[in-house]
Amino acid sequence: MKIPNRIQPLVDDGLIDDVLQRLKSGKEADVYTVLCGDKIQCAKVYKEATQRSFKQAVQYQEGRKVRNTRNARAMQKGSKFGRKQQEETWQTAEVEALFRLANAGVRVPQPYMCIDGVLLMELVTDAEGAVAPRLSDVTLDEESAVADFNTMIRNIVRMLCAGIVHGDLSEFNVLLDAQGPVIIDLPQAVDAAANNHAESMFERDVNNITEYYGQFAPHLLQTRYAKEIWALYEDGKLTPETPLTGLFVEEIHDVDMDSLIDEIITAEDEYYDRQRAAKERDQQYE
């Protein structure tokens, strides 16, 4: 096939020998299979900001560190240079997350390098060596669904222990290879400790995965792993091997409405007493 313009420089430099086919065109990138020596790899070509349907929402960028203060100021001002730096930060976020998660034992594609908006990484394949399907394209029996769900939950725990929340996890961002699920697409990954939206994103990620596997194993829909895992994380008790139950009971506090109303009335009375006293003092000096 014709070599895409963004990949041509890597071909010229000898990093890629040939482009075999386009695997998908997504909301933030196009993905191709490429030949590198005698190995078939995956090349993810990030789209420009004007072409992406998935925008760099503020809630995803929150908490991302920019080491160079000059770059950080330019990004805040929104200058041409700043927008370019913002693009690079957005693209390298996935690379950094992939390396970090791979080192933490999370099942993700092994990243190799990212040059000028092109990420080279492992091609995830099935048992026959074909490109691995997405979860959204497979049907599971109940036993397989439960086994893969447990694998996903354990990988999500490892991600959180590594300080990362996927932020857009669903059956469309997971591949199924011969050993089970593999998590992909992480440019919007957020810092669990530094992003104020991390908890809600984490809960959405886990609930999406639960709903998918719950199609094949309905009893999974009764689990509450998102709440349980996040509570352990906040308490500093979460490790990659922490036993989980899927159960979570939220603390419920009874509210004494009569006492609450009495407190409100008392506060109002005190406020008006202060207002009257201040008015009387002002009148004395007139």
Side-chain angles (χ1 to χ4, degrees):
M1 66 171 289
K2 182 180 179 181
I3 297 174
N5 292 336
R6 297 283 295 282
I7 295 181
Q8 186 63 55
L10 279 74
V11 174
D12 296 340
D13 291 341
L15 297 173
I16 292 176
D17 294 303
D18 196 10
V19 179
L20 304 179
Q21 65 172 320
R22 184 165 73 174
L23 290 180
K24 73 163 188 172
S25 180
K27 53 192 175 184
E28 82 276 346
D30 292 328
V31 181
Y32 300 85
T33 53
V34 296
L35 187 63
C36 301
D38 59 352
K39 292 184 178 180
I40 298 177
Q41 296 180 2
C42 186
K44 184 170 186 176
V45 182
Y46 293 99
K47 294 180 177 179
E48 301 290 345
T50 54
Q51 298 177 309
R52 285 198 304 265
S53 59
F54 186 90
K55 303 301 181 183
Q56 297 180 33
V58 173
Q59 60 264 36
Y60 289 98
Q61 297 179 53
E62 181 180 300
R64 289 187 177 177
K65 296 179 176 63
V66 179
R67 296 182 180 89
N68 188 298
T69 55
R70 175 173 173 265
N71 292 352
R73 288 195 299 270
M75 289 167 63
Q76 290 175 349
K77 292 179 180 178
S79 64
K80 183 178 179 179
F81 174 76
R83 290 193 297 272
K84 180 176 182 295
Q85 294 304 310
Q86 197 167 43
E87 279 297 292
E88 291 181 2
T89 300
W90 178 255
Q91 293 165 8
T92 57
E94 178 166 30
V95 185
E96 293 175 357
L98 284 171
F99 275 111
R100 193 163 157 188
L101 294 177
N103 291 335
V106 180
R107 298 209 71 218
V108 295
Q110 179 64 48
Y112 300 129
M113 66 181 75
C114 186
I115 300 175
D116 295 331
V118 179
L119 169 61
L120 284 178
M121 57 184 170
E122 171 193 6
L123 177 66
V124 181
T125 59
D126 62 15
E128 285 73 42
V131 175
R134 296 189 195 189
L135 275 188
S136 57
D137 296 327
V138 301
T139 300
L140 302 170
D141 58 48
E142 183 173 357
E143 183 179 358
S144 297
V146 172
D148 284 358
F149 173 75
N150 290 333
T151 298
M152 278 296 298
I153 290 297
R154 192 49 60 185
N155 275 281
I156 289 171
V157 167
R158 290 193 184 100
M159 287 180 67
L160 189 55
C161 288
I164 294 176
V165 172
H166 188 288
D168 192 32
L169 189 60
S170 72
E171 64 270 27
F172 300 101
N173 291 327
V174 179
L175 302 179
L176 192 63
D177 73 2
Q179 285 74 48
V182 179
I183 298 170
I184 62 171
D185 293 340
L186 288 134
Q188 71 295 312
V190 301
D191 187 313
N195 191 301
N196 291 321
H197 305 277
E199 181 178 1
S200 61
M201 291 180 186
F202 179 81
E203 186 166 347
R204 183 180 62 200
D205 284 352
V206 176
N207 290 343
N208 284 343
I209 292 301
T210 302
E211 288 173 12
Y212 169 77
Y213 285 108
Q215 298 175 84
F216 312 107
H219 70 276
L220 296 177
L221 298 174
Q222 306 305 314
T223 60
R224 302 193 69 192
Y225 281 104
K227 295 286 189 184
E228 179 187 15
I229 294 168
W230 192 264
L232 289 167
Y233 169 71
E234 283 195 321
D235 289 344
K237 298 177 181 177
L238 187 68
T239 73
E241 307 305 326
T242 298
L244 300 172
T245 64
L247 304 175
F248 183 78
V249 179
E250 296 185 64
E251 293 184 7
I252 300 176
H253 301 284
D254 292 330
V255 177
D256 186 341
M257 290 303 298
D258 290 337
S259 297
L260 179 60
I261 291 172
D262 287 342
E263 289 181 14
I264 294 172
I265 292 173
T266 299
E268 287 182 340
D269 288 344
E270 291 176 351
Y271 170 77
Y272 288 118
D273 286 343
R274 289 195 298 272
Q275 291 289 93
R276 283 194 295 270
K279 186 175 181 180
E280 289 173 359
R281 286 196 300 272
D282 292 340
Q283 289 175 345
Q284 290 178 355
Y285 293 102
E286 289 179 354

